[in-house]
Amino acid sequence: MTTRAAKIRTIVGGLTASIIIPAIPVSIWWYNAQEEREQHAESVRTKVRIPGVQTTDDRLIENIKPGDVIVFDRRCEMCTSGPLSFLNCLLSKRYLCYPNNGTSASIIEGSSFDHVAVVVPGYSQEIYSDSSDLLLLEATASGIVAHPILTRLEMSRSRTVLLLPLCAPGELRRRDFNLTREVDDHPTAANWNEEEKIQQVKAHVRKQLIKFRDANLRISQKYNYQNYHSLIGLSGCICYALGLSDKSPSPANPSAWLVVSALQSAGVAMHVDGRSELDAKPEDFLRDYRFHEKNSIRLRPGFKFLHPIALRETSR
């Protein structure tokens, strides 16, 4: 009995040590990440804002419209939602980003975009409200959430954040971001005549995005999506890495799944097959579907994303 009890104590001691020893550095990392997050939040909250003076963020945000997409190259070490969220971020960068996903290089050398969000209308009753009312809808470890764009950008600790402006058929948005080409400087009569049609398309996109926003925020709260986000992301990423994504009910990347679903519901993205939203990855948004048959987001005829605009670029 004494020998048996000693073996049991040895086994239990070994298991306990195998759990506690790795947990110590993880706990220290998590504590430091949360402390840094709180300090950053406080600096954002106490930031001095001069009335009537526009910052660079203000000038960029005032040209953002519903349907625009924002991609993030996150710092995994800054994840404050827990070890699972941290692991999900690491695996997403390892298997869903170039060069390990079998695709061409990212548009920003050295970046690996592992998260994406879509701009949706806010809660203003006006049909065409200004950009201050716009929200950023995204799937995160905190649930499916919608935050004001400026707040979300200021709180972001990502290395690089890119904006992909969405153009409706016939719409001219290049001059908004200083991307004007000669052909855009002199709109033809046909362009002006199509303005009413463009506004109708944009109003439809806005209406559908509002419905999508409300439905998914409600579903997230009802089913406590925040409890499953990291597990869904991990299972989808692992299945993609093993080549089993076509048999997996989980999306390869939950944030990309949400954004593609939003664009599909608004009539912007195409339903190529039953898995187009499940197989989507954040870096797919950076590839033009006209030149990349796979690993890209296929939009309906006439819709297109402009060249990415850098909202945030920091040191590696």
Side-chain angles (χ1 to χ4, degrees):
M1 291 294 293
T2 303
T3 303
R4 184 178 180 183
K7 289 182 178 179
I8 294 176
R9 284 196 298 270
T10 301
I11 293 173
V12 171
L15 290 174
T16 303
S18 65
I19 295 173
I20 293 178
I21 293 176
I24 293 175
V26 171
S27 300
I28 294 174
W29 156 77
W30 194 6
Y31 174 80
N32 290 334
Q34 289 180 320
E35 282 288 304
E36 186 170 350
R37 177 78 171 184
E38 291 175 1
Q39 292 174 5
H40 181 64
E42 180 64 16
S43 68
V44 171
R45 187 186 68 81
T46 57
K47 182 178 180 180
V48 177
R49 305 180 192 276
I50 304 175
V53 177
Q54 279 190 322
T55 64
T56 302
D57 285 338
D58 293 330
R59 288 193 291 271
L60 286 171
I61 289 173
E62 71 180 3
N63 293 314
I64 294 178
K65 307 293 182 185
D68 290 352
V69 169
I70 297 180
V71 292
F72 298 80
D73 174 12
R74 298 184 299 173
R75 299 177 188 269
C76 296
E77 68 274 14
M78 297 294 184
C79 291
T80 59
S81 300
L84 279 180
S85 179
F86 171 73
L87 181 60
N88 185 26
C89 178
L90 285 179
L91 291 183
S92 294
K93 288 183 176 293
R94 175 65 178 84
Y95 295 111
L96 301 184
C97 300
Y98 175 84
N100 302 304
N101 59 2
T103 61
S104 57
S106 171
I107 195 167
I108 302 294
E109 185 177 357
S111 295
S112 52
F113 296 93
D114 62 299
H115 185 73
V116 63
V118 62
V119 178
V120 298
Y123 295 97
S124 171
Q125 298 301 314
E126 298 293 331
I127 296 179
Y128 298 106
S129 59
D130 60 33
S131 58
S132 63
D133 185 53
L134 297 178
L135 304 174
L136 203 59
L137 183 71
E138 55 189 329
T140 72
S142 300
I144 295 177
V145 297
H147 295 299
I149 297 176
L150 182 58
T151 301
R152 178 65 177 86
L153 288 178
E154 289 182 333
M155 286 299 299
S156 175
R157 305 291 281 165
S158 298
R159 291 186 180 89
T160 306
V161 181
L162 299 181
L163 167 69
L164 301 176
L166 176 69
C167 277
E171 184 180 13
L172 302 177
R173 292 188 63 189
R174 291 182 179 274
R175 63 168 58 88
D176 294 340
F177 302 99
N178 295 322
L179 297 175
T180 306
R181 298 181 302 181
E182 183 178 355
V183 68
D184 291 338
D185 281 334
H186 307 284
T188 64
N191 294 141
W192 293 113
N193 292 334
E194 289 179 356
E195 183 63 26
E196 183 177 354
K197 183 178 180 181
I198 293 172
Q199 294 303 327
Q200 290 176 351
V201 171
K202 293 171 65 176
H204 174 76
V205 170
R206 177 185 176 87
K207 180 180 179 180
Q208 296 304 314
L209 287 176
I210 289 174
K211 290 182 178 179
F212 185 87
R213 175 202 70 195
D214 292 342
N216 282 271
L217 290 177
R218 187 167 53 250
I219 290 172
S220 174
Q221 186 174 15
K222 180 179 179 180
Y223 294 103
N224 297 314
Y225 172 81
Q226 66 273 14
N227 296 333
Y228 312 107
H229 171 82
S230 296
L231 292 175
I232 292 173
L234 285 171
S235 63
C237 183
I238 292 172
C239 287
Y240 181 88
L242 296 175
L244 301 174
S245 57
D246 58 334
K247 298 179 176 60
S248 171
S250 298
N253 181 278
S255 67
W257 161 78
L258 182 74
V259 174
V260 173
S261 298
L263 295 179
Q264 288 177 339
S265 71
V268 175
M270 297 178 63
H271 294 266
V272 179
D273 52 49
R275 294 197 56 87
S276 56
E277 64 273 21
L278 292 176
D279 293 338
K281 305 176 293 298
E283 289 193 351
D284 292 351
F285 289 88
L286 298 173
R287 301 184 186 91
D288 193 329
Y289 66 93
R290 295 171 297 179
F291 307 107
H292 299 272
E293 183 177 351
K294 296 181 179 180
N295 298 303
S296 62
I297 306 301
R298 296 189 63 84
L299 305 183
R300 291 187 177 277
F303 286 98
K304 63 180 179 181
F305 288 119
L306 295 184
H307 190 79
I309 309 295
L311 299 178
R312 285 286 186 279
E313 281 188 291
T314 58
S315 61
R316 310 321 304 167

